[in-house]
Amino acid sequence: MTDGIDEARLDDALVARFHRLQRGALPENWGRAVERAENLEMESKPPRRWWAGAAASVLVIGGIAAIAAMSRGGSPFEDVAAPASTVVSNTNPESAPTDPPATSTLPIVTSAGRGLAAFGSAMVVPSRATAGDVVTVTPDGLIQPTCTDLGGIFDVDGSGPARLGVIGGSEVWLPEMQRPTLPACLPPETDQPFSYVVPAGLGQRTVAICRSAQFDEAACGPLEIVIAADGEDAGVSVPVVEGLTEGEAVSTIRLLGLVAVIERVEVEEGDTDDGRVMFQRPAAATSVTEGDEVRITVGQASAREEIDS
Amino acid sequence: MTVATSERVEAVYRSVHAKIWRSLLAVSGDPELASDAESEAFAQALRRGEAIDDVERWVWKSAFRILDGLLSDRRRPAPTTTHERVMIDDVDAEFLSMLGGLTLQQRQIVVLRYVGQFNAAEIAEVLESSPGSVRVQLHRAHESLRSSMTEGKLS
């Protein structure tokens, strides 16, 4: 534990070390900024070349083809060569996209997490799946699952390339998963469903929809999809409840067959943590079994709040 | 880029350069990356000119986002231009190394708190997070740093 080092001493030590750091050397970067700005100015005015019109025509034709593919119910990705390093073709016939989905192992469960109001939610069918299942995600119109540099689906477990979707103009997806049938460019906020096929041998994964281009706990949620490998009992994945109100957290925990144990810490009157879950144990995405406890720490007015003092 | 824009952005640079650069240094542990992120943020501010209402806030936010990108790009080529080299002494290097034990987000929050002297709401704005999340992460960062102190890494 950390006996003997109280908050004030820690704060003093950090202030002193940062103060020392701020007395160190300091480079002059204004000239670099100006030079870079001038370069950006020049880069934004490229000379017009003969092939520019031809390239534009190709893009227009490509766009029309993409729209046509979407209208046929297919994906414009089908005709797009993705980077070889990120493509893993699925050769397992059991998980081919044309196969009928296997029986869902559990009813639909979407667990609400932090940022519900800000980031929206999504319906996932099924919430647990085995190899060959088609998992369909239907956003509620508030999340940004694809397109632009603000969207993506992230593998919370963090093993290997984690993104699934279109991020910053590049197609990236979990290597074990098949190419998702995502529309080429969803609007920033969408309610269009998209789906993918769960391959064999995936193991248990938790996938979350995030707003950020990089996986960021704070920007993720509220969705968790637990995918179990063939024949495995995935157990229960602890939901993200930090940031939720006590009531929301307890109902979310109970919905998954877990037991909520509440601890309270004092916060200032009017603090945004008042009535909300500040910490949880075990951490989100931890696999537990039904009936296990999830301990949550809920802020309760009124105590001095450390950061805004 | 107009003269007025240049003067306006430079005035902000002169007032916050030290804080921003040292914040970026503390987050990245790399003087070169800190300079790259800072100069790129100010260059972008110069380009956008009058379209930015609050240059200082915009630059804080942009510099941290740019640094995020630089840190995540492990294949980043070596700089093609040479510029002023900054030496970090052993004591500061040890401190930066200790901060390196935090997650990126915790490091950003600690730095914005202690160098930028921002409150939770302001940190949340820079990092596009929520004040509640900032508090939680700061608490965790403190726990981690306290543990480092206990082990004698910070005196």
Side-chain angles (χ1 to χ4, degrees):
Chain A
M1 196 53 190
T2 54
D3 293 344
I5 302 174
D6 59 21
E7 201 67 27
R9 191 177 153 203
L10 174 68
D11 201 56
D12 288 346
L14 289 174
V15 167
R17 298 305 288 266
F18 274 110
H19 185 70
R20 189 183 189 287
L21 186 68
Q22 290 181 75
R23 292 200 313 267
L26 185 67
E28 175 54 52
N29 288 329
W30 179 247
R32 289 179 63 189
V34 172
E35 187 181 338
R36 173 71 178 138
E38 288 169 352
N39 288 338
L40 288 171
E41 190 81 33
M42 289 175 65
E43 287 168 11
S44 70
K45 298 173 184 172
R48 189 170 178 81
R49 300 191 189 283
W50 65 268
W51 43 262
S57 300
V58 169
L59 286 174
V60 168
I61 292 167
I64 292 169
I67 292 165
M70 289 174 74
S71 70
R72 292 194 306 270
S75 164
F77 285 5
E78 288 164 8
D79 298 317
V80 178
S85 61
T86 58
V87 176
V88 176
S89 59
N90 189 342
T91 55
N92 182 351
E94 287 183 7
S95 58
T98 51
D99 287 351
T103 306
S104 301
T105 54
L106 283 176
I108 299 164
V109 177
T110 56
S111 54
R114 82 169 80 236
L116 186 64
F119 306 132
S121 60
M123 184 69 77
V124 184
V125 184
S127 64
R128 294 186 181 190
T130 54
D133 282 2
V134 177
V135 177
T136 301
V137 181
T138 307
D140 69 354
L142 295 175
I143 60 171
Q144 301 177 322
T146 66
C147 202
T148 81
D149 59 352
L150 291 176
I153 303 176
F154 293 76
D155 179 0
V156 175
D157 295 343
S159 53
R163 296 170 190 172
L164 171 70
V166 179
I167 298 168
S170 302
E171 298 174 46
V172 191
W173 51 89
L174 287 172
E176 301 93 333
M177 286 185 175
Q178 245 187 4
R179 169 178 287 182
T181 56
L182 297 172
C185 185
L186 296 175
E189 292 175 352
T190 183
D191 56 2
Q192 293 184 50
F194 55 91
S195 60
Y196 56 88
V197 178
V198 179
L202 184 64
Q204 184 177 331
R205 292 296 177 96
T206 302
V207 180
I209 288 186
C210 303
R211 194 179 72 148
S212 169
Q214 293 176 328
F215 179 75
D216 174 352
E217 187 185 357
C220 285
L223 173 65
E224 290 182 3
I225 312 167
V226 178
I227 303 166
D230 292 317
E232 285 183 12
D233 179 5
V236 179
S237 178
V238 175
V240 180
V241 294
E242 287 179 357
L244 295 185
T245 64
E246 181 181 330
E248 289 170 340
V250 169
S251 62
T252 300
I253 291 166
R254 287 180 180 165
L255 182 69
L256 296 171
L258 302 172
V259 177
V261 177
I262 304 167
E263 297 164 348
R264 300 181 197 283
V265 293
E266 289 189 343
V267 296
E268 275 189 345
E269 196 71 42
D271 191 297
T272 53
D273 284 332
D274 187 12
R276 291 189 177 271
V277 177
M278 298 173 70
F279 317 107
Q280 67 175 88
R281 294 287 181 278
T286 304
S287 183
V288 295
T289 54
E290 262 188 52
D292 281 359
E293 289 183 352
V294 177
R295 307 184 82 82
I296 57 175
T297 304
V298 178
Q300 182 175 334
S302 54
R304 181 177 170 276
E305 196 271 311
E306 57 161 320
I307 187 171
D308 285 323
S309 56
Chain B
M1 179 187 2
T2 66
V3 173
T5 293
S6 179
E7 288 176 352
R8 178 169 169 247
V9 176
E10 184 173 3
V12 172
Y13 171 85
R14 296 294 166 208
S15 70
V16 299
H17 163 51
K19 275 189 178 181
I20 287 184
W21 185 82
R22 284 176 176 133
S23 295
L24 297 170
L25 170 68
V27 170
S28 67
D30 183 336
E32 298 295 320
L33 279 184
S35 289
D36 284 352
E38 187 198 26
S39 56
E40 181 68 23
F42 275 103
Q44 298 277 354
L46 283 167
R47 280 267 295 144
R48 282 166 174 74
E50 300 306 314
I52 302 172
D53 289 332
D54 187 334
V55 173
E56 181 175 338
R57 284 191 178 237
W58 191 92
V59 167
W60 270 104
K61 197 170 176 174
S62 299
F64 269 70
R65 291 191 66 172
I66 291 165
L67 185 66
D68 266 3
L70 293 175
L71 286 170
S72 64
D73 185 1
R74 294 176 183 174
R75 290 169 300 176
R76 180 173 172 264
T80 52
T81 57
T82 56
H83 45 266
E84 188 179 348
R85 286 203 167 277
V86 176
M87 303 303 292
I88 307 294
D89 70 27
D90 290 344
V91 177
D92 285 344
E94 182 195 16
F95 180 52
L96 292 175
S97 169
M98 191 192 69
L99 291 176
L102 302 175
T103 67
L104 175 61
Q105 190 185 33
Q106 288 170 353
R107 217 153 56 231
Q108 289 172 326
I109 290 169
V110 165
V111 163
L112 287 167
R113 167 65 174 153
Y114 286 95
V115 183
Q117 299 187 327
F118 292 127
N119 63 30
E122 290 165 336
I123 293 171
E125 189 190 330
V126 171
L127 300 180
E128 295 185 328
S129 182
S130 67
S133 174
V134 166
R135 291 187 187 94
V136 168
Q137 293 299 330
L138 182 69
H139 177 85
R140 288 176 180 168
H142 277 167
E143 288 298 308
S144 176
L145 293 170
R146 183 176 292 148
S147 175
S148 296
M149 283 180 72
T150 306
E151 293 166 16
K153 292 177 188 171
L154 176 69
S155 53

